[in-house]
Amino acid sequence: MLKRKWIPLTLLRKLLTAAICSIAFLALFSVHLRIVPSSKDHRFNDKILTLQDTQRWTREVAPPNLSKAPLSTPKLNGSRGVSDYEKLWKSPSNRGFLPCIKPTPNYTTPAESRGYLLVHTNGGLNQMRSGICDMVAVAHIINATLVIPELDKRSFWQDTSNFSDIFDEEHFMDSLANDVRIIKKLPTELVNATRVVKQFISWSGMDYYENEIASLWEDYQVIRASKSDSRLANNNLPPDIQKLRCRACYEALRFSPRIEQMGKLLVDGMRSFGPYIALHLRYEKDMLAFSGCTHDLSPDEAEELRVIRENTSYWKIKDIDPIEQRSKGLCPLTPKEVGIFLTALGYPPKTPIYIAAGEIYGGESHMAELHSRYPLLMRKERLASIEELEPFSTHASQMAALDYIVSIESDVFIPSYSGNMAKAVEGHRRFLRRGRTISPDKKALVRLFDKLDQGIMTEGKKLSNRIIDLHRRRLGSPRRRKGPISGTKGMERFRSEEAFYANPLPDCLCRSEPPPLNINISHIVR
């Protein structure tokens, strides 16, 4: 009798226990399902790009503007992840160097102005940038009031931009107030005054400016510099003059707010894909014509470039042997060669690459092999809408300024040619201790590429190891600026020196004691 009464109670307990377990299991399972996004969740799908997706996306003429939040830094949980990140993306050690551009205790503020310095800059954006910074220092040396420089409107690019269209004019003037007096326009009473027009001697030192140029104040109130590029020596200048050049370049010469805002949009667009490479692909018509480089071009293309060079009066060298030029490492890498180079370094096909350049010569016909290796090739026109780019699109220097910002902010910067843009970005990134800057050893690479073309070597581990070894010490780590090549004399001696703005060490970077660890530098984009 007792036994029969306990049977239903035992069954009831078992049923209740089973029900509780089922409820708990269902609750746990439902939580797990919420963590994993549904395939219908577009916010999640937007961040998953298959190879097929990227190829489709890069073919779009005007894709929607990117508004997704940037991806997080790659997770380094596994040993493979750690090694891949360090091999491809990790910044080189800054070896304890920090910016040091404040004036020394011996620095003197501007003396009473003796006259006005007018400046006509020359060249593209980065040539003008360095020239402006040099003229700030020259104005200080000769006790001149600097009139806001006039930008080059007659060069190959035919850009009508004024100083305030590209740079933050008020910030420029305010930042340098303790160094040199700067005004926007020449006083009305001096507009028609007699002035001397002078082309300052390239790579000149203090004596030249303190004596020869300053003596002109005895006869003139206005000195006009007809050119601005490379007018100051790279080396052997007083520490305070070198520091002033850096203050002008890295603090005062800020881009205009609208350019910085647009630059930030482009950087955010690239960051949405994770770490990215900025590739300064200097494979444009003007560069190929100027350098005389015709490798992999058709006879018709080579002739077109020769005619351009012949008809450009201010390009002094007309007859150039393209084979010799390339063998000396003086030609930009072709898009095909860049693809081989990146593959050998270990960058996978999914790597996001920003093309910092104008119109590539030959268009898709020359870009096809690079694009087949790296489908995610991005440009300004693919990261922003036509309407957003319209205010800048007809101004080459403003478009170059956008490329400059994206290049400075990149995780890796690679120039295919060591021209003005490459030098300016490399120096700025050295100063900021920003990311990895890989400078291709073009002379050595050409020999390897020729072996590939001849069938003597094939792509693979052997080529990869060789190229990686060649570039272990070419990753942008701090080092002293290189002096002139031994045996050179005169102007060739100065020309062989490493440019000041390509490497501002030791003048503007000083070693801290002890070396700092894991210092974060704020972005240049405000």
Side-chain angles (χ1 to χ4, degrees):
M1 192 72 186
L2 261 167
K3 193 173 182 179
R4 281 193 209 139
K5 286 183 181 178
W6 281 107
I7 289 173
L9 186 57
T10 302
L11 287 174
L12 182 60
R13 285 176 177 172
K14 289 182 179 180
L15 287 172
L16 285 172
T17 301
I20 291 169
C21 291
S22 299
I23 292 170
F25 178 78
L26 287 172
L28 182 63
F29 184 68
S30 65
V31 169
H32 178 68
L33 283 177
R34 290 189 190 100
I35 292 173
V36 181
S38 163
S39 62
K40 295 179 182 179
D41 188 337
H42 298 297
R43 290 172 298 177
F44 178 77
N45 282 342
D46 281 347
K47 294 186 183 292
I48 303 300
L49 289 169
T50 64
L51 186 61
Q52 182 179 358
D53 291 333
T54 59
Q55 289 173 325
R56 174 183 54 77
W57 197 89
T58 54
R59 283 198 296 268
E60 292 179 1
V61 177
N65 184 38
L66 297 174
S67 58
K68 303 185 289 296
L71 293 177
S72 59
T73 303
K75 295 180 180 179
L76 306 177
N77 294 332
S79 59
R80 174 64 182 270
V82 171
S83 63
D84 284 351
Y85 177 78
E86 290 184 350
K87 181 176 72 172
L88 301 177
W89 302 105
K90 186 179 179 182
S91 299
S93 170
N94 63 35
R95 296 168 50 205
F97 283 98
L98 295 169
C100 53
I101 59 175
K102 290 183 179 179
T104 70
N106 297 325
Y107 186 68
T108 56
T109 55
E112 183 178 352
S113 174
R114 298 185 65 186
Y116 298 87
L117 177 61
L118 298 177
V119 176
H120 176 78
T121 60
N122 59 293
L125 173 69
N126 294 289
Q127 197 171 341
M128 291 192 290
R129 274 179 63 93
S130 61
I132 290 167
C133 299
D134 276 1
M135 290 300 108
V136 167
V138 168
H140 180 87
I141 293 169
I142 65 175
N143 292 336
T145 294
L146 177 66
V147 180
I148 287 290
E150 176 188 345
L151 301 190
D152 190 342
K153 298 178 174 62
R154 298 174 301 190
S155 65
F156 184 90
W157 298 272
Q158 299 291 303
D159 192 333
T160 59
S161 299
N162 293 315
F163 188 96
S164 59
D165 295 322
I166 298 178
F167 303 110
D168 188 331
E169 195 171 69
E170 297 298 331
H171 177 77
F172 179 72
M173 297 170 68
D174 293 344
S175 295
L176 296 169
N178 294 325
D179 300 297
V180 61
R181 183 169 177 245
I182 304 175
I183 59 175
K184 294 183 180 180
K185 293 182 179 180
L186 197 66
T188 306
E189 64 272 18
L190 292 176
V191 169
N192 297 318
T194 303
R195 65 190 64 173
V196 59
V197 179
K198 189 82 172 174
Q199 182 170 316
F200 299 154
I201 296 175
S202 299
W203 298 294
S204 295
M206 295 292 289
D207 289 346
Y208 172 76
Y209 286 105
E210 289 177 329
N211 298 322
E212 185 172 336
I213 299 303
S215 68
L216 296 172
W217 294 133
E218 297 173 8
D219 300 309
Y220 304 96
Q221 287 181 276
V222 179
I223 298 173
R224 179 178 178 85
S226 61
K227 285 191 173 184
S228 62
D229 64 326
S230 303
R231 301 301 123 176
L232 264 181
N234 292 305
N235 305 305
N236 302 317
L237 292 175
D240 274 319
I241 295 301
Q242 300 289 56
K243 292 178 186 296
L244 173 55
R245 295 168 86 179
C246 287
R247 289 199 296 279
C249 190
Y250 305 130
E251 288 189 348
L253 208 54
R254 179 193 295 175
F255 291 118
S256 67
R258 68 191 190 96
I259 287 179
E260 287 208 350
Q261 183 180 6
M262 189 69 225
K264 184 178 187 304
L265 184 147
L266 298 176
V267 170
D268 289 346
M270 289 306 300
R271 288 251 173 265
S272 71
F273 296 102
Y276 70 93
I277 293 173
L279 172 63
H280 182 46
L281 191 59
R282 197 69 168 94
Y283 204 74
E284 299 144 317
K285 183 182 289 186
D286 67 297
M287 170 47 59
L288 295 175
F290 174 77
S291 63
C293 298
T294 60
H295 183 69
D296 273 354
L297 297 182
S298 69
D300 288 343
E301 289 172 327
E303 177 60 17
E304 180 186 22
L305 297 176
R306 188 198 65 78
V307 170
I308 292 172
R309 184 169 64 256
E310 186 67 35
N311 294 334
T312 305
S313 59
Y314 51 87
W315 289 353
K316 303 303 180 185
I317 302 175
K318 304 299 183 182
D319 296 323
I320 300 175
D321 182 339
I323 297 176
E324 181 183 359
Q325 190 85 336
R326 182 170 176 269
S327 68
K328 291 180 177 179
L330 300 177
C331 288
L333 298 179
T334 69
K336 174 184 175 181
E337 290 170 342
V338 169
I340 297 171
F341 179 62
L342 292 175
T343 301
L345 289 176
Y347 289 97
K350 64 182 179 180
T351 302
I353 299 175
Y354 178 85
I355 303 296
E359 184 178 353
I360 301 301
Y361 188 58
E364 283 304 312
S365 65
H366 291 305
M367 289 292 288
E369 290 203 45
L370 176 59
H371 191 270
S372 68
R373 290 174 184 263
Y374 293 95
L376 199 55
L377 296 180
M378 312 300 294
R379 298 179 63 96
K380 294 180 287 293
E381 296 79 5
R382 301 191 187 282
L383 294 167
S385 67
I386 295 174
E387 293 74 20
E388 287 168 324
L389 282 178
E390 193 275 332
F392 314 96
S393 59
T394 57
H395 300 281
S397 292
Q398 295 183 42
M399 294 288 270
L402 297 176
D403 284 343
Y404 188 94
I405 290 174
V406 183
S407 297
I408 291 292
E409 287 295 307
S410 65
D411 300 274
V412 175
F413 174 67
I414 302 176
S416 68
Y417 180 77
S418 53
N420 291 310
M421 167 79 164
K423 292 173 183 175
V425 173
E426 179 182 2
H428 206 153
R429 285 169 66 87
R430 283 186 188 279
F431 180 78
L432 294 173
R433 296 158 294 146
R434 178 70 50 77
R436 179 177 291 201
T437 299
I438 305 175
S439 302
D441 184 342
K442 296 190 294 298
K443 189 173 182 179
L445 287 173
V446 162
R447 292 195 291 268
L448 294 175
F449 295 149
D450 285 346
K451 288 181 180 180
L452 288 177
D453 291 339
Q454 296 161 11
I456 299 172
M457 180 181 282
T458 59
E459 288 192 61
K461 190 173 182 179
K462 183 178 179 181
L463 177 67
S464 180
N465 289 340
R466 181 72 182 120
I467 288 179
I468 290 172
D469 286 342
L470 281 170
H471 295 85
R472 290 192 190 280
R473 296 182 180 274
R474 304 175 70 95
L475 303 179
S477 182
R479 59 167 175 78
R480 291 182 66 87
R481 188 167 57 254
K482 296 177 182 177
I485 294 175
S486 178
T488 54
K489 297 180 180 180
M491 282 297 168
E492 282 304 314
R493 179 175 175 82
F494 292 115
R495 193 172 281 112
S496 70
E497 294 178 333
E498 186 174 18
F500 176 82
Y501 296 105
N503 185 4
L505 193 157
D507 312 276
C508 303
L509 288 167
C510 308
R511 193 185 294 276
S512 61
E513 295 294 344
L517 299 175
N518 300 324
I519 295 178
N520 290 321
I521 305 298
S522 60
H523 284 320
I524 185 177
V525 179
R526 292 165 172 78

